[in-house]
Amino acid sequence: MRAFVGFLLVVVLPLLLLMGISTIVPVTTEWLWFDSLGLEAVYELQLTAQWGLFWIVTLGTFLFLAGNVFLARRVAPANTLRLIRPRIQKQEVVTQAYNVGSLAFDFGVWSAAGIVSVFVGSMAQESWLAWLRFLNQAPFGVTDPIFGRDIAFYVFDMPVLWFLKDWGLWTLLLTLGATAGVYLASRAARGGSLPRASRVHVAVLGALLFCVLAGDWVLQMFGLLNSTADVVHGAGYADIHARLPIMILMAVFSVIVAGIILVNVLRPVERLTTLAVVLWFIAIPVLVGGWPALVQNLEVGPSELAKEMPYIEYSIQYTRQAYDLDHVVERDFVVTDTLTLADVENNTAIVQNIRLWDYRPLLQTFRQLQEIRTYYEFVDVDVDRYMLDGEYREVMLAARELVTDQLPENAQTWVNERLIYTHGYGVCLNAVSEFTQEGQPRFLVHDIPPASADPALRIDQPAIYYGETVSDYAIVHTTTPEFDYPKGNDNVYASYQGTGGVLLDSPLTRLLFALRYEASQIILSEYITPQSRLMMHRVIGERVRAVAPFFRYDRDPYMVVAQGRLYWIQDAYTVTDRYPYAESRGSFNYIRNSVKVVIDPYNGSMVFYVMDDQDPLAQAYARAFPTLFQPGSALPADLRAHLRYPEGLFTIQASLYATYHMGDPQVFYNKEDLWAIPNELYSETALPLEPYYVILKLADDAPEEFLIMLPFTPAKRDNMIAWFYVQCDGDHYGNMGVFKFSKERLVYGPMQIESRINQVPNISQQLSLWNQRGSQVIRGNLLVIPIEQSLLYVEPLYLQSESSQIPELKRVIVAYGNRIAMGDTLQDALAQALTGTEPAIPPVQPPTGTETDWMALAQSAKSHYDAANLCLQQNDWACFGREMDALKRDLEALYALAIGQ
């Protein structure tokens, strides 16, 4: 008893104090933050699950480990006298020495068991989500093809069973080692053999260990459905016909070994026990490792397709299910190349929404023209659509955030960074296809305060306190005014009027946050009042993860303007890595975009909307955290109109569909129809083509709608074979489809169009001249636009001078059929491509006589000469004549320059 009390005072109490000091500040401040959001029940459940599991496992491990050690101590008490000193004569000295040794031993046992148990409990604490999912699980309604179990068993039950197995295995191993150590020490101290009770004790622990190992073999048996082989993602022929029977055999053998160990206590059969244990260990490398490999090489290898065919079918079927690819609608797209200018006019809604602004040069332009001050920053440009003046228009927008790190160094004080410069301001928005004569975007929302070109884009509350890149925390509603926005040479100041943040209404609250952020100013500052609010977790990704860490989040939240306010929309995914027979993508092999999170950038409020209530994982989380979620039907209509199918999920699905569109196992096995995501040129660098949002019609009688799409090419070839899409509007949201081109007709792919552009003489000449005269030509996204059973290829050209950081949109290239044209506008290029007319090559301006003019004329002459040779090789005599005329003008200009000097 004294040892136990000593253990409590020396080990447990300091440990609890250390844990309390290190956790009370973050836990309490987090609870205050959750409470400010009205989500305290969510945090309380998370804490209950984490710490409840910790204490259950810790106490369970401690009681089992310490109890068995003390049982061993009782069964075989050590003769401390022999261990201390053999020649002690006085009885009272012997007794005292024994008591001291016994107390020290007991204290050591309690301490060691406590430390080990805390470590095991800490490791187990990480499994709190698995237990919540298990306790709130929902069926998938789909069974695996081997054992006939609902997928929920693998997703919800198996993680808990693995947890229990690991806990039992490690606890038994530690206990068995500790008790064996006690018995061996006792035997060394006393000599002779161990009492029968000690043998019974060790035998029971050994039998329990082999029972747990039997359970491990059973779990490995079910785990075969998530194995990965060369051909099949999941159990293949060798797994089912060789590895599975051996695992069943090993499970049964483990139970038999456990029985033999127990029988050995009642009736000694030590040789049989030793033989059984040795055979068990030998069987692992010989049977488990050797036999399946033998079957794979001798039976499966010579006729792999025939043996693996049913398992390939399983892999195709379940991978499609896991990634929501089992309802893709396949249709043929017959390219007619009969598009006319009249057809273009009849599809004005599509043509006027062809995106000419690549997000990369546009972001650079936004930063140069609209950041206004150095401490503002546009992080990303997103694509969306709005009804503007009665028309469905595709737009691009970016939020103007404030980054305190970009304040002048002498202005980076605590007051400035935390109390004054607290928020960004407004957005920048432009139509995707419009630009000025100077090659700059035509803004629909711009400047500070935001000036909107359409009532649908008005912004009544432009302040952005929560964004993609903001400082860690800010304190608002203080006695010092906040910087609101710049106005000429002056600044406009304001005071926060919202409800975001934790109310700093007590000295204790201020003390807790001062400790959390190691900022004594939170306590000492006279600017902070009981009405002040501390805003924390202000980065969108961090904010949503703090509330719901069980989701995987898209890397690109996007801003929406609705009813005069700004909102962030963040896509959340439910994932698992335990879907049978599904191919893995990194750390998961099942994914759904089941939840959309709407964040108010002014108040910081978050609403989690369940958009896919058929997803069992989303159902489990909604049952576990009922106060966190709202049904998708509760999402306001003005926000629902701006939901986008996430590009991140679409990219994953497209990369998988490139393989899993093949439904025939033999075709799949031979990879006869493997597709690939094509490349494109961006600034003369070949990069994978990114998915892009467009406004299209999917049928002649269908309305224009917003969707995301991506072309496919055959593997290792450049021609286009299909284009994949997902709809984003209304009730059609999430509908997938693919339009397939005939394999008997050549349909140009993006890189083939890029190559053909380089071969057009007047285009290559112009690009060469621009690149040679102190400018850089940036080739933007090449978009493939299906329209009226025809395909348009559209690529914008940007020009950026060496002395400027503003890319200017100068030309638009359109490819249609066998024609490629470049124009000042999309309409010009379309007219040329559809009618076959080409503009005249502009004459070279008279030189001024400088060295630069000599060089420019010489380079221009060489470009025309090279282009003329290319035309000659292609037997294009009209082109050859135009280039020779241009070369003649250059030579005449050079001659005039020489005569003039």
Side-chain angles (χ1 to χ4, degrees):
M1 186 63 185
R2 285 179 296 175
F4 181 68
V5 172
F7 164 71
L8 291 178
L9 293 176
V10 177
V11 177
V12 176
L13 184 59
L15 185 62
L16 290 176
L17 288 175
L18 181 63
M19 292 174 61
I21 293 172
S22 63
T23 59
I24 190 170
V25 171
V27 168
T28 305
T29 51
E30 284 293 304
W31 186 89
L32 290 170
W33 178 68
F34 272 87
D35 182 63
S36 71
L37 295 168
L39 298 174
E40 64 277 6
V42 174
Y43 191 53
E44 290 167 359
L45 178 58
Q46 292 183 19
L47 286 179
T48 301
Q50 293 174 24
W51 288 102
L53 188 59
F54 170 81
W55 285 114
I56 289 172
V57 173
T58 299
L59 292 176
T61 304
F62 177 79
L63 292 175
F64 190 83
L65 178 58
N68 276 277
V69 172
F70 277 99
L71 177 61
R73 180 77 171 82
R74 292 270 184 155
V75 170
N79 190 336
T80 313
L81 178 62
R82 289 173 59 96
L83 295 175
I84 298 174
R85 183 179 293 178
R87 297 182 180 180
I88 295 178
Q89 300 296 326
K90 294 183 179 181
Q91 183 63 38
E92 59 272 17
V93 175
V94 174
T95 303
Q96 184 178 3
Y98 180 83
N99 290 337
V100 171
S102 179
L103 184 64
F105 176 82
D106 292 346
F107 178 79
V109 170
W110 288 114
S111 300
I115 293 172
V116 169
S117 299
V118 168
F119 177 76
V120 174
S122 299
M123 297 295 291
Q125 192 177 29
E126 300 176 359
S127 300
W128 66 277
L129 267 176
W131 281 94
L132 280 183
R133 286 192 292 261
F134 171 73
L135 295 173
N136 296 278
Q137 63 179 277
F140 276 72
V142 178
T143 58
D144 77 84
I146 304 300
F147 303 109
R149 288 182 172 271
D150 191 278
I151 304 300
F153 170 76
Y154 300 92
V155 174
F156 298 118
D157 296 351
M158 285 287 286
V160 171
L161 294 174
W162 279 111
F163 169 86
L164 293 174
K165 184 271 297 181
D166 289 338
W167 181 25
L169 184 63
W170 284 106
T171 302
L172 283 167
L173 284 172
L174 291 169
T175 304
L176 190 59
T179 53
V182 171
Y183 289 130
L184 290 175
S186 174
R187 181 176 181 179
R190 298 177 58 194
S193 61
L194 291 173
R196 184 173 183 275
S198 64
R199 295 172 57 201
V200 172
H201 188 190
V202 174
V204 170
L205 291 176
L208 287 175
L209 178 62
F210 273 92
C211 286
V212 172
L213 290 173
D216 180 61
W217 286 112
V218 173
L219 293 179
Q220 289 188 54
M221 180 180 71
F222 289 111
L224 285 175
L225 303 195
N226 286 114
S227 63
T228 301
D230 294 336
V231 178
V232 179
H233 293 276
Y237 182 89
D239 294 316
I240 300 301
H241 292 86
R243 192 168 281 110
L244 178 59
I246 289 175
M247 287 180 173
I248 296 174
L249 176 64
M250 289 299 297
V252 174
F253 189 24
S254 299
V255 175
I256 293 173
V257 173
I260 292 174
I261 291 173
L262 291 177
V263 169
N264 184 55
V265 175
L266 303 175
R267 183 180 178 182
V269 283
E270 293 183 359
R271 290 186 178 180
L272 179 61
T273 304
T274 303
L275 179 62
V277 173
V278 170
L279 286 177
W280 188 91
F281 281 102
I282 293 176
I284 294 177
V286 174
L287 293 180
V288 179
W291 177 245
L294 198 63
V295 171
Q296 179 68 35
N297 292 328
L298 298 182
E299 185 175 357
V300 177
S303 54
E304 187 174 57
L305 177 58
K307 298 293 185 182
E308 301 287 13
M309 178 130 0
Y311 308 105
I312 294 175
E313 290 180 347
Y314 297 152
S315 184
I316 295 172
Q317 176 186 351
Y318 284 85
T319 297
R320 286 180 173 181
Q321 292 174 3
Y323 292 93
D324 207 21
L325 294 171
D326 53 340
H327 60 274
V328 176
V329 177
E330 294 189 358
R331 286 178 282 181
D332 292 329
F333 192 99
V334 180
V335 180
T336 60
D337 285 341
T338 57
L339 193 67
T340 65
L341 287 176
D343 294 326
V344 170
E345 292 176 0
N346 292 333
N347 289 275
T348 302
I350 296 176
V351 175
Q352 73 175 357
N353 286 299
I354 295 176
R355 180 167 59 84
L356 301 181
W357 283 103
D358 188 304
Y359 70 92
R360 289 160 288 198
L362 181 62
L363 178 60
Q364 194 171 343
T365 301
F366 277 4
R367 288 173 173 171
Q368 293 296 317
L369 299 180
Q370 284 291 308
E371 283 186 347
I372 311 297
R373 294 289 189 272
T374 58
Y375 41 76
Y376 285 127
E377 182 177 24
F378 292 107
V379 179
D380 189 23
V381 178
D382 295 306
V383 180
D384 201 353
R385 71 287 196 196
Y386 289 81
M387 287 299 297
L388 302 178
D389 196 22
E391 296 183 345
Y392 205 36
R393 299 301 304 273
E394 186 173 330
V395 302
M396 304 180 77
L397 73 161
R400 185 184 292 106
E401 301 187 35
L402 190 146
V403 181
T404 55
D405 291 343
Q406 297 180 10
L407 288 170
E409 187 173 350
N410 60 354
Q412 293 183 19
T413 64
W414 183 84
V415 172
N416 277 340
E417 292 180 337
R418 305 303 179 189
L419 307 186
I420 296 178
Y421 292 90
T422 57
H423 58 275
Y425 207 83
V427 301
C428 189
L429 186 149
N430 68 292
V432 296
S433 61
E434 298 180 4
F435 57 98
T436 66
Q437 290 183 348
E438 294 77 22
Q440 298 176 1
R442 192 177 299 280
F443 294 110
L444 300 178
V445 178
H446 59 98
D447 295 342
I448 300 177
S452 302
D454 191 282
L457 300 175
R458 82 177 196 280
I459 303 175
D460 301 326
Q461 181 48 266
I464 301 174
Y465 286 87
Y466 303 87
E468 294 185 78
T469 171
V470 291
S471 60
D472 190 19
Y473 73 95
I475 302 175
V476 298
H477 208 282
T478 63
T479 58
T480 183
E482 298 174 53
F483 168 75
D484 201 25
Y485 61 88
K487 187 176 183 180
N489 294 325
D490 300 321
N491 293 330
V492 176
Y493 293 87
S495 180
Y496 183 72
Q497 301 299 315
T499 59
V502 179
L503 200 62
L504 299 176
D505 56 353
S506 71
L508 179 58
T509 303
R510 293 174 66 172
L511 173 62
L512 288 169
F513 281 104
L515 291 173
R516 177 184 179 117
Y517 292 112
E518 299 179 355
S520 59
Q521 299 93 330
I522 297 177
I523 299 175
L524 302 176
S525 176
E526 297 179 355
Y527 298 127
I528 300 175
T529 71
Q531 288 74 43
S532 299
R533 294 176 173 273
L534 186 143
M535 295 179 171
M536 56 189 289
H537 296 313
R538 297 203 296 146
V539 176
I540 296 301
E542 174 195 342
R543 190 172 185 81
V544 293
R545 285 183 182 88
V547 172
F550 35 83
F551 289 128
R552 188 76 57 90
Y553 292 95
D554 193 85
R555 61 178 178 82
D556 185 25
Y558 57 97
M559 183 72 81
V560 168
V561 182
Q563 299 298 320
R565 295 186 65 90
L566 299 176
Y567 297 93
W568 290 105
I569 296 181
Q570 171 73 67
D571 288 288
Y573 305 125
T574 55
V575 298
T576 182
D577 60 350
R578 298 185 178 275
Y579 203 94
Y581 276 103
E583 180 176 338
S584 177
R585 274 293 181 264
S587 60
F588 58 86
N589 67 353
Y590 169 95
I591 186 170
R592 290 290 186 276
N593 177 214
S594 298
V595 174
K596 304 280 187 179
V597 191
V598 177
I599 304 102
D600 187 324
Y602 187 69
N603 289 323
S605 61
M606 291 173 283
V607 184
F608 290 72
Y609 293 98
V610 179
M611 308 305 296
D612 182 3
D613 56 7
Q614 300 302 309
D615 175 24
L617 279 166
Q619 293 176 25
Y621 294 135
R623 291 175 182 176
F625 302 97
T627 60
L628 178 61
F629 297 99
Q630 295 288 329
S633 58
L635 180 65
D638 54 336
L639 291 177
R640 181 182 291 273
H642 293 282
L643 294 183
R644 306 185 318 180
Y645 199 83
E647 181 182 336
L649 176 59
F650 181 83
T651 301
I652 293 171
Q653 292 172 317
S655 64
L656 282 161
Y657 195 74
T659 301
Y660 285 90
H661 72 277
M662 296 180 286
D664 185 293
Q666 182 169 348
V667 174
F668 185 93
Y669 174 81
N670 293 316
K671 299 295 185 289
E672 297 175 15
D673 193 20
L674 186 64
W675 296 350
I677 295 174
N679 288 334
E680 64 166 343
L681 288 181
Y682 175 75
S683 189
E684 304 304 326
T685 301
L687 298 172
L689 184 65
E690 298 178 0
Y692 51 94
Y693 295 97
V694 292
I695 291 179
L696 292 179
K697 290 169 61 176
L698 294 177
D700 293 338
D701 56 349
E704 293 82 7
E705 58 183 306
F706 189 69
L707 51 86
I708 185 171
M709 64 169 289
L710 184 67
F712 283 123
T713 61
K716 300 180 180 180
R717 294 174 59 189
D718 289 331
N719 61 290
M720 198 156 59
I721 193 67
W723 58 278
F724 183 58
Y725 70 88
V726 180
Q727 297 169 266
C728 299
D729 284 347
D731 295 336
H732 296 151
Y733 180 92
N735 290 350
M736 296 183 181
V738 62
F739 282 94
K740 302 168 70 173
F741 301 115
S742 171
K743 296 180 180 179
E744 299 177 357
R745 172 173 176 166
L746 173 64
V747 178
Y748 291 119
M751 284 304 292
Q752 289 177 322
I753 294 296
E754 298 280 18
S755 298
R756 293 185 63 222
I757 290 173
N758 291 334
Q759 295 172 4
V760 176
N762 65 321
I763 295 179
S764 61
Q765 167 202 341
Q766 189 66 67
L767 297 182
S768 298
L769 286 176
W770 276 334
N771 278 320
Q772 293 165 2
R773 292 181 176 177
S775 298
Q776 177 190 4
V777 176
I778 300 174
R779 297 170 70 159
N781 287 128
L782 176 65
L783 303 185
V784 182
I785 307 296
I787 180 172
E788 295 284 348
Q789 295 302 125
S790 297
L791 295 175
L792 292 176
Y793 303 82
V794 180
E795 181 176 85
L797 294 180
Y798 309 91
L799 194 62
Q800 181 176 327
S801 67
E802 294 179 353
S803 59
S804 172
Q805 295 299 314
I806 304 177
E808 298 176 356
L809 205 168
K810 286 301 186 182
R811 296 289 189 273
V812 179
I813 298 175
V814 172
Y816 169 70
N818 291 318
R819 301 171 188 160
I820 296 178
M822 181 174 69
D824 292 337
T825 65
L826 175 61
Q827 290 71 22
D828 290 343
L830 274 172
Q832 295 175 41
L834 294 179
T835 61
T837 60
E838 297 183 24
I841 299 175
V844 178
Q845 296 298 321
T848 58
T850 66
E851 182 179 350
T852 302
D853 295 323
W854 278 91
M855 182 63 67
L857 281 171
Q859 290 173 338
S860 177
K862 185 178 185 305
S863 297
H864 287 303
Y865 176 76
D866 292 340
N869 280 331
L870 182 62
C871 296
L872 191 61
Q873 293 171 11
Q874 298 175 348
N875 294 322
D876 190 341
W877 297 103
C879 170
F880 177 77
R882 289 194 302 270
E883 294 300 329
M884 291 302 294
D885 289 340
L887 174 60
K888 178 182 177 182
R889 289 194 295 269
D890 283 344
L891 293 175
E892 289 174 347
L894 280 169
Y895 178 75
L897 186 61
I899 294 299
Q901 290 186 345

